[in-house]
Amino acid sequence: MPIRAGSNASASAARTAPSLAETAGPRPGGAIDRFAARLMGLSRWRRFGAAIAFGVLASLSVPPLYAAPLLWLAFPALYWLLVGARGGRAAFFTGWAFGFGFFVPGLYWVSWALTVDLPRFFWLIPFALAGLPALLGIFTGLAGLAFHGMRRAGWGGPLALAAAWALAEWLRGHVLTGFPWNLIGYTWVGWLPVLQGVSVIGIYGLSLLTVAAATLPATLTGPRRQGFAATAAGVALFAAIAGWGAWRLSGDAGGVVPGVTLRLVQPNISQTDKWSGDKRIENFNKQLAMSAAPGLDRVSAVIWSETAVPFTLSWEPEAQKALGAILPPGALALVGATRATPYGTEPLQAWNSIYAVDRAGTVLATYDKAHLVPFGEYVPLRELLAPLGIEKITAGSVDFSPGPGPRTIDLPGLPPVSPQICYEAIFPGAVLDPSAPRPGWMLNVTNDGWYGQTSGPHQHFAIARTRAVEEGLPLVRAANTGISGVVDAYGRVTGEIALGQAGILDAALPAALPETPYARWGDAGFWLLLALGLLLGRVGRPARGTLRPPAAGLP
């Protein structure tokens, strides 16, 4: 029932809830004030339900929809819900509920991978669909708790929430191997001028500024002049970033590396057929035939996706020779395949690798994936979990071993390259070897066939594009079922094979840019912004007091 001035419910709320007057200074006739008051006055379960709903709304901003304006609705609502939280525990669970609503639609595609072998893994689908968002929601819950501890009236409050959210994203990207997927900053992959900001402050810094600007309209419930000034400052900030980014994009027509043409092969082999015993040779030969299509004589390197060779290539010298046999003089094949210790050795070790093979079938170099997917490529705490029937979902009973980390590989006829396999490309600041000379390009091979026609492959491609802008390096991406493409150092796609299509793409290699500020200093810009946000977030009096609803009662 509505809370009305003078009622027992109002008196009870007055003893426990924060004050619109203290936090915002309401104007009873304003629609924004009434909406804010209603959110702050919600009871516990209604508050959590509203937080989930606004988290779902925020999820529409990330790839592939890029509905960035919705953040300017979702984050003020989160702010008001947190201000209305009665104690730290309520603030934590309000933040957790918002995160749960954000992650379920954003990461539903993870559960799709379990349908590839449904009889074995059907029972895990609910855990993947809801369990992973529930765990990731702990980070947004901690952000809500941190905000509760430092919330202030006026514009200091939105800055405090932005700092808490950004720190939670950074922690999510690093704790327990990290999973920095669908960071708020990825909203701007669909708005390239704004995305250029990551070349200076990285994706975590762009997330912080985005949440700050999106939350500042919450101050419109306070003194009119202050609220409009704060909101206008947020709009002006992103107008300035977009203007600078547009200028940056206009300053380069997109140069290429002379004499280098790459052929990307996307066979579009379904995951159920990829490792089928009677189709392995057929799948291998299909990719050989696609690679040998007309125009091969102009190609410097043929590139296949992650585990495109459906057997352990280090055990198959004849397959290595077959790869070399299709190549023109001076060209290389860069292919994904498993690598293992010699057959029969104990203990057996296996790696998820990229091979560089020349025309003679000689393996010139390999790169072993270092950042492995938990439960996909290995089982954490195997001694405890294996007796419970928990297995990795990829083929084979042997866990993959991790490689040594990012490497720069010199190959004949090509600029030095930094390889990444699958989701290694999602980790900002961890895609280049800091001890090696700067490479000329990045190579990402992946197999998103696990996720079908879901939003997952679109998100993966968008995240990988962001690494190109951060590092100022072109990115070449080969995927089994898509999305394969070539991305220049500004994040522009110069060539692409769409999701779910088979095909080849012959493309020039875009030129690298000079070292970006982010490439040189990493997350230093983010930490400076975070410190500033935490400092300014403490400005103003604490947001404490009593809930004072409009005279006519909360709607």
Side-chain angles (χ1 to χ4, degrees):
M1 59 181 277
I3 302 175
R4 299 187 180 275
S7 71
N8 290 335
S10 179
S12 175
R15 293 192 296 270
T16 58
S19 165
L20 267 176
E22 292 287 339
T23 62
R27 297 181 300 279
I32 294 179
D33 298 292
R34 292 195 300 271
F35 182 60
R38 183 166 188 172
L39 289 180
M40 286 197 286
L42 289 174
S43 61
R44 179 175 58 181
W45 294 111
R46 289 181 178 181
R47 181 186 313 281
F48 296 159
I52 290 173
F54 283 109
V56 171
L57 186 69
S59 74
L60 303 180
S61 71
V62 298
L65 296 180
Y66 302 112
L70 294 180
L71 296 177
W72 270 253
L73 298 174
F75 275 98
L78 175 61
Y79 173 83
W80 292 320
L81 289 168
L82 288 170
V83 166
R86 298 170 175 85
R89 181 177 178 180
F92 173 84
F93 281 106
T94 300
W96 177 90
F98 185 92
F100 184 77
F102 178 78
F103 291 121
V104 168
L107 297 175
Y108 76 93
W109 50 267
V110 173
S111 62
W112 195 268
L114 302 174
T115 66
V116 172
D117 194 349
L118 194 59
R120 287 177 62 202
F121 297 115
F122 73 93
W123 62 278
L124 286 173
I125 290 178
F127 295 95
L129 189 61
L132 180 60
L135 289 174
L136 296 179
I138 293 173
F139 293 99
T140 56
L142 292 173
L145 180 61
F147 168 76
H148 177 79
M150 59 182 175
R151 59 187 178 176
R152 289 295 189 270
W155 51 264
L159 297 183
L161 178 57
W165 181 279
L167 181 57
E169 283 198 339
W170 186 91
L171 290 172
R172 177 159 64 89
H174 292 80
V175 173
L176 298 177
T177 80
F179 189 60
W181 200 282
N182 281 357
L183 307 177
I184 288 296
Y186 289 125
T187 293
W188 302 110
V189 177
W191 310 64
L192 273 182
V194 177
L195 187 67
Q196 302 308 303
V198 302
S199 67
V200 179
I201 57 176
I203 190 63
Y204 295 117
L206 190 58
S207 281
L208 192 157
L209 294 183
T210 302
V211 175
T215 311
L216 280 170
T219 60
L220 289 171
T221 57
R224 191 178 299 271
R225 182 176 299 178
Q226 176 180 314
F228 278 115
T231 303
V235 172
L237 171 66
F238 270 85
I241 294 174
W244 173 78
W247 170 81
R248 187 173 190 257
L249 289 169
S250 68
D252 187 283
V256 298
V257 177
V260 174
T261 299
L262 306 175
R263 171 165 288 185
L264 279 60
V265 178
Q266 181 171 301
N268 195 35
I269 298 170
S270 72
Q271 191 60 38
T272 53
D273 291 339
K274 184 176 173 65
W275 291 93
S276 174
D278 59 344
K279 293 186 177 180
R280 291 189 185 192
I281 300 301
E282 178 184 330
N283 293 337
F284 182 68
N285 289 337
K286 175 182 179 178
Q287 292 173 93
L288 286 177
M290 294 176 69
S291 302
L296 182 62
D297 56 309
R298 299 186 296 272
V299 170
S300 309
V302 173
I303 301 175
W304 290 10
S305 62
E306 177 188 16
T307 59
V309 178
F311 36 78
T312 303
L313 189 57
S314 57
W315 292 352
E316 303 291 345
E318 293 303 314
Q320 297 171 24
K321 292 179 181 178
L323 280 167
I326 66 168
L327 297 174
L332 301 175
L334 306 177
V335 299
T338 56
R339 189 176 73 84
T341 50
Y343 189 77
T345 60
E346 293 291 342
L348 177 66
Q349 282 187 280
W351 294 267
N352 186 354
S353 304
I354 297 174
Y355 291 72
V357 180
D358 68 8
R359 194 173 185 228
T362 302
V363 177
L364 301 181
T366 59
Y367 168 77
D368 300 324
K369 185 178 182 182
H371 210 132
L372 301 175
V373 179
F375 302 104
E377 294 168 311
Y378 74 103
V379 178
L381 304 174
R382 172 174 280 279
E383 295 78 7
L384 296 176
L385 297 180
L388 302 176
I390 296 177
E391 309 170 55
K392 67 185 181 75
I393 65 172
T394 52
S397 59
V398 177
D399 286 350
F400 282 113
S401 298
R407 290 182 57 199
T408 298
I409 299 176
D410 285 308
L411 296 171
L414 297 171
V417 60
S418 177
Q420 303 132 31
I421 298 177
C422 191
Y423 94 145
E424 286 185 315
I426 77 170
F427 296 94
V431 292
L432 304 183
D433 182 354
S435 65
R438 179 172 164 84
W441 58 301
M442 297 182 292
L443 171 63
N444 177 221
V445 301
T446 188
N447 174 28
D448 288 348
W450 291 95
Y451 309 113
Q453 298 285 326
T454 66
S455 61
H458 295 279
Q459 293 172 359
H460 201 180
F461 186 47
I463 293 170
R465 287 174 63 186
T466 306
R467 302 290 84 80
V469 186
E470 285 175 340
E471 302 292 346
L473 294 174
L475 173 80
V476 176
R477 188 171 193 266
N480 169 29
T481 56
I483 302 169
S484 301
V486 177
V487 180
D488 74 6
Y490 296 99
R492 297 175 296 203
V493 179
T494 62
E496 178 181 334
I497 308 174
L499 179 65
Q501 294 184 6
I504 62 172
L505 172 66
D506 290 350
L509 176 64
L513 294 176
E515 194 174 33
T516 63
Y518 182 82
R520 180 170 298 179
W521 294 303
D523 283 325
F526 161 68
W527 291 113
L528 288 173
L529 287 173
L530 183 67
L532 183 63
L534 291 173
L535 177 64
L536 295 179
R538 301 292 293 182
V539 172
R541 64 186 184 281
R544 309 287 187 200
T546 60
L547 181 63
R548 299 179 185 174
L554 293 178

